[in-house]
Amino acid sequence: MKILNILALSVLIVSCSKLPENSMITAKYIVFNHDISSKTIGNFDNVKELTNSDEITHPFVVDKKFHDLEYAFILNPNGTLDKITEYKYDQNEFYQKYQIELDTIDRENIGVGFMIKLDEKLNQIVDGQDTLKILDVYQKERLIRVDKPENKGRIVFYQYK
């Protein structure tokens, strides 16, 4: 009986971490890690868990951790860049205070070669020249976390539908 319970739990965990067939990436979000976001978010009462696949425009909670947005890359249905939204952090003092490097975007060339998509097996994301293994799929939030080291105080989430 114990083995049957473990097997059932394993199947449930694996099925929860899979992407539905015909999934596609709709956005890429660069957010500050939980430690930094916990200091930058002014009012935690306004931070809500995500429950749909609409464009994320405000700080959010995933896996009981807060994330404050830095950049949002919204994609066209073919995986190319539709628009970029930068959030309030463009002051050098902010980045110095939290000891993170100021990330700059080459606005003139950002669209050149910019394409994000899922691989055919739905277990990796192809982001330009990078192929990233999917670690976690948050189905309720429609977010994916990949096997990519944290980038200078930042985490990257991909949104899917």
Side-chain angles (χ1 to χ4, degrees):
M1 184 65 163
K2 188 176 185 179
I3 293 173
L4 185 60
N5 287 341
I6 292 172
L7 181 61
L9 181 61
S10 298
V11 168
L12 181 62
I13 290 171
V14 169
S15 66
C16 289
S17 63
K18 293 271 187 189
L19 288 168
E21 286 188 39
N22 300 321
S23 294
M24 58 186 280
I25 302 297
T26 59
K28 173 183 178 178
Y29 298 98
I30 299 176
V31 301
F32 294 108
N33 67 21
H34 176 72
D35 293 334
I36 294 170
S37 294
S38 295
K39 297 170 188 166
T40 62
I41 297 171
N43 184 353
F44 291 105
D45 293 335
N46 292 334
V47 179
K48 304 208 181 337
E49 291 189 26
L50 302 173
T51 57
N52 57 46
S53 60
D54 292 338
E55 181 180 335
I56 301 171
T57 59
H58 57 301
F60 60 92
V61 177
V62 169
D63 204 18
K64 299 179 183 169
K65 294 182 181 176
F66 293 100
H67 299 287
D68 203 0
L69 293 161
E70 184 180 25
Y71 296 106
F73 300 86
I74 308 305
L75 307 179
N76 292 312
N78 62 0
T80 60
L81 186 63
D82 184 33
K83 73 176 183 174
I84 301 173
T85 303
E86 289 182 71
Y87 291 86
K88 58 188 171 189
Y89 304 105
D90 58 354
Q91 318 90 359
N92 284 330
E93 300 88 41
F94 170 84
Y95 291 93
Q96 289 172 352
K97 178 179 180 179
Y98 295 108
Q99 300 177 345
I100 52 179
E101 292 180 35
L102 180 62
D103 212 5
T104 57
I105 295 175
D106 180 0
R107 295 198 171 285
E108 292 182 25
N109 298 312
I110 188 71
V112 178
F114 191 102
M115 179 173 276
I116 300 174
K117 63 182 180 177
L118 288 161
D119 75 341
E120 291 179 14
K121 296 179 183 176
L122 302 177
N123 61 2
Q124 295 180 329
I125 293 177
V126 179
D127 184 346
Q129 300 294 325
D130 297 328
T131 301
L132 308 164
K133 180 181 175 189
I134 294 174
L135 291 180
D136 295 307
V137 176
Y138 302 98
Q139 290 186 347
K140 182 176 122 185
E141 297 87 352
R142 301 273 185 198
L143 291 176
I144 300 168
R145 186 175 66 91
V146 293
D147 186 13
K148 182 175 184 179
E150 189 175 303
N151 179 18
K152 306 169 242 164
R154 298 169 176 91
I155 297 172
V156 177
F157 285 102
Y158 296 88
Q159 191 172 37
Y160 71 93
K161 72 173 189 174

